[in-house]
Amino acid sequence: MTPLPVHLASFRLRTLSSLAALTLGWPASLLAVDAPVSWFKDITPLFKRSCNGCHNPNKLKGEIDTSSYVGFLKPGKNGPSFVPNDPAKSLVLAEITGKEPSMPKEGDALTVAETTLIEQWIREGAKDDTPVDAYSTRISAPPTYTSQPVVAALAISPDGRWLASSGYHEVLVFETEGLKPYGRWVGESTRIESLAFSMDSRSLAVAAGVPARLGEVQIWNVETGHQSVAWKISADSVYGVSWSPSGDRLAVAGADKAVRVLAYPSGKELMRFDNHSDWSLQTAWLPSGTRLISGSRDRAIKLIDATSGQFIDDINKLLEPITCLVRHPKEETVLYGGGEGGLRIYKAKENQDRTSGNNDVNLVRDFERQPGPVQAVAFSPDGSRIAAAVPNGEVRLYAAANGQRTATLGGHDGAVFSLCFSPDGTALYTGSFDGLIRRFDPATGRLTAILQPVPISTANTAGP
Ligand code: HEC
């Protein structure tokens, strides 16, 4: 049998489905045989399933983006992907039809019904019917939780008054005195990745995002609880936000690999560093404010000129993905935790004296190997202790001077993802997979408080 011309196939398909609708007595809305093909309802789900993995703002294979109408409208490497009203001139149809369609490059070919739908949409003028708020994740009130969200980020203000924790779509703020709730700050991003208070404790910077869609830096006024800015800087999540020592700039890392420096309060991008070959996850400023450090899944800790964006050197030996990193509170050293259980302190300077015999000249201390990826690290405020969160739900404390383990904090139901010391060094807070924040005395390892940051709704859940 010779295949039907595409437009005929489409006619038959649509007629058949309307007949089926009649016989089954489906709702009248389904009988609208002549309803045009909808970009948003009909095409985007197909593209999402089969195309967007390779054609999105962060992965522009063939220089095309199928993840939004605006993206798809931009011509690719070989010109426009579609010409409204003219299927024959539409490159996308040539790519997805034929005996061995070249797209999708991997995975199952689209069915005839699916390619017909796309053809029909183009024939009908390739109109955009994306609702205005289709990609907005804005919500107006704090979310209701039915289970505890992972505590992915924690920060304490330099004056010691405020403890901030990540929630879903929101930052939860507590008074450290009595651990009383102070604010629930709801923003557009669903995932809160990193939190940093300004030196004067008056502003809280938040690196947040919606994976593969939005990367945002939010700044909140601590006193009023209002969002002062929300800079949308990327089409993917951002991480590792840090304030410059003078408080006039912010550095932020990202899933798009870039490290950015933004002016505060204008939000102007002052510097962008594109030297990492995988997601960058952390940033830290050296005390001078002229140099910046970034850590990445590509295993490198890079030293960067914060003004020019010039790459200075890798400070470490490239052993494992850098999963977490903090700067020493006073000295020009950094502590990192690695994807393979490494826990090391490095001098934050050029690695220029390296030789073939010693290519790790900046290494200051190598702590005992951890039983899996290290998820969070912290320096005590005087730099004498370090804390590391390891996958078995433990937090281990070490003396920075000799590398001896001094305490092991347990009792977490799952891994710990965030850590912070109080500025006076008398408390260590942990944020865990089990959704709880715990406070320990770092000197003795004793648990002194447990905080459940979000209220859990029991509505609609059947009791035992
Ligand atoms: C596994 C990755 C992958 C998937 C999935 C994929 N593509 Fe592609 N696509 C590519 C690559 C790579 C190219 C660049 C040309 C090449 O290497 O063949 C490309 C090129 C194209 C082009 C040509 C752009 C130009 O101007 O040259 C179009 C159109 C296209 N793809 C459409 C689609 C559609 C529609 C889908 C889903 C049905 C899809 N692709 C799924 C990887 C992919």
Side-chain angles (χ1 to χ4, degrees), residues 114-154:
E114 290 168 342
T115 57
T116 303
L117 208 57
I118 296 169
E119 195 254 327
Q120 185 78 16
W121 171 70
I122 293 173
R123 185 184 302 285
E124 288 168 356
K127 298 215 176 65
D128 178 18
D129 62 347
T130 310
V132 197
D133 61 351
Y135 298 112
S136 170
T137 51
R138 271 175 220 285
I139 55 173
S140 50
T144 326
Y145 296 88
T146 50
S147 64
Q148 300 283 353
V150 173
V151 183
L154 278 178

Side-chain angles (χ1 to χ4, degrees), residues 12-201:
R12 294 224 5 221
L13 244 147
R14 300 187 131 223
T15 316
L16 276 175
S17 59
S18 65
L19 273 178
L22 273 174
T23 30
L24 294 173
W26 284 352
S29 63
L30 280 178
L31 297 177
V33 203
D34 293 331
V37 176
S38 156
W39 158 260
F40 189 69
K41 288 202 214 75
D42 302 322
I43 312 292
T44 58
L46 300 180
F47 281 2
K48 188 170 180 193
R49 183 200 65 203
S50 299
C51 321
N52 297 1
C54 298
H55 298 296
N56 64 66
N58 290 312
K59 197 171 174 189
L60 285 167
K61 293 288 181 191
E63 290 160 36
I64 72 161
D65 172 12
T66 53
S67 70
S68 68
Y69 185 86
V70 178
F72 196 41
L73 198 58
K74 289 189 197 129
K77 214 166 57 190
N78 292 298
S81 297
F82 62 94
V83 179
N85 306 308
D86 199 344
K89 288 213 186 100
S90 293
L91 178 63
V92 64
L93 288 173
E95 298 278 347
I96 58 176
T97 55
K99 230 173 158 187
E100 277 176 26
S102 45
M103 290 296 144
K105 207 170 176 70
E106 279 162 24
D108 294 336
L110 302 189
T111 64
V112 173
E114 290 168 342
T115 57
T116 303
L117 208 57
I118 296 169
E119 195 254 327
Q120 185 78 16
W121 171 70
I122 293 173
R123 185 184 302 285
E124 288 168 356
K127 298 215 176 65
D128 178 18
D129 62 347
T130 310
V132 197
D133 61 351
Y135 298 112
S136 170
T137 51
R138 271 175 220 285
I139 55 173
S140 50
T144 326
Y145 296 88
T146 50
S147 64
Q148 300 283 353
V150 173
V151 183
L154 278 178
I156 205 156
S157 60
D159 64 8
R161 278 185 72 192
W162 314 110
L163 175 70
S165 157
S166 62
Y168 176 74
H169 246 303
E170 64 174 332
V171 178
L172 298 119
V173 186
F174 301 87
E175 289 179 36
T176 49
E177 182 80 51
L179 295 175
K180 286 198 292 286
Y182 174 70
R184 296 180 69 174
W185 299 346
V186 178
E188 181 166 353
S189 289
T190 52
R191 286 175 54 164
I192 309 299
E193 306 286 359
S194 141
L195 302 165
F197 282 95
S198 59
M199 290 294 267
D200 62 9
S201 302

Side-chain angles (χ1 to χ4, degrees), residues 219-243:
I219 309 222
W220 297 83
N221 178 316
V222 175
E223 196 193 324
T224 63
H226 290 150
Q227 192 177 67
S228 27
V229 299
W231 299 318
K232 297 195 164 81
I233 57 169
S234 168
D236 208 338
S237 291
V238 293
Y239 307 93
V241 68
S242 63
W243 291 87

